[in-house]
């Protein structure tokens, strides 16, 4: 199973953020039907999870599907 963790609520630097309406739409699944799942979040932050996985895997591959805030935080 692929581990999943939540990212930061605030921008890494400054006050740049997606508009509230966009965030609410994304949080609601963008109108998609998403079947129930038994998956739960990893239990740590996205940054901590990225750092751990990079340490555990020699050649990690990153699929970035949104802003790179968590990746930037892990690389900092």
């Amino acid at each position: 199973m692929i581990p999943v963790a939540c990212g930061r609520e605030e921008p890494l630097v400054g006050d740049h953020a997606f508009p509230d309406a966009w965030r609410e739409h994304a949080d609601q699944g963008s109108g998609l039907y998403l079947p129930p799942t038994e998956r739960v979040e990893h239990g740590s932050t996205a940054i901590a999870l990225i750092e751990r996985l990079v340490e555990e895997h020699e050649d990690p591959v990153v699929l970035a599907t949104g802003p790179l805030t968590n990746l930037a935080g892990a690389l900092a």
Side-chain angles (χ1 to χ4, degrees):
M1 183 175 297
I2 299 171
V4 176
C6 292
R8 303 168 55 103
E9 286 290 324
E10 67 281 343
L12 190 59
V13 175
D15 60 357
H16 302 287
F18 287 107
D20 289 338
W22 292 14
R23 293 174 62 129
E24 289 171 17
H25 188 67
D27 289 346
Q28 295 169 2
S30 300
L32 299 172
Y33 167 73
L34 302 173
T37 180
E38 294 181 17
R39 294 181 70 175
V40 295
E41 67 180 83
H42 181 262
S44 68
T45 66
I47 292 173
L49 178 58
I50 292 168
E51 291 170 342
R52 193 197 88 207
L53 292 173
V54 166
E55 289 176 5
E56 291 177 1
H57 300 278
E58 185 174 323
D59 293 314
V61 175
V62 175
L63 173 63
T65 59
L68 302 176
T69 305
N70 296 317
L71 188 57
L75 293 174

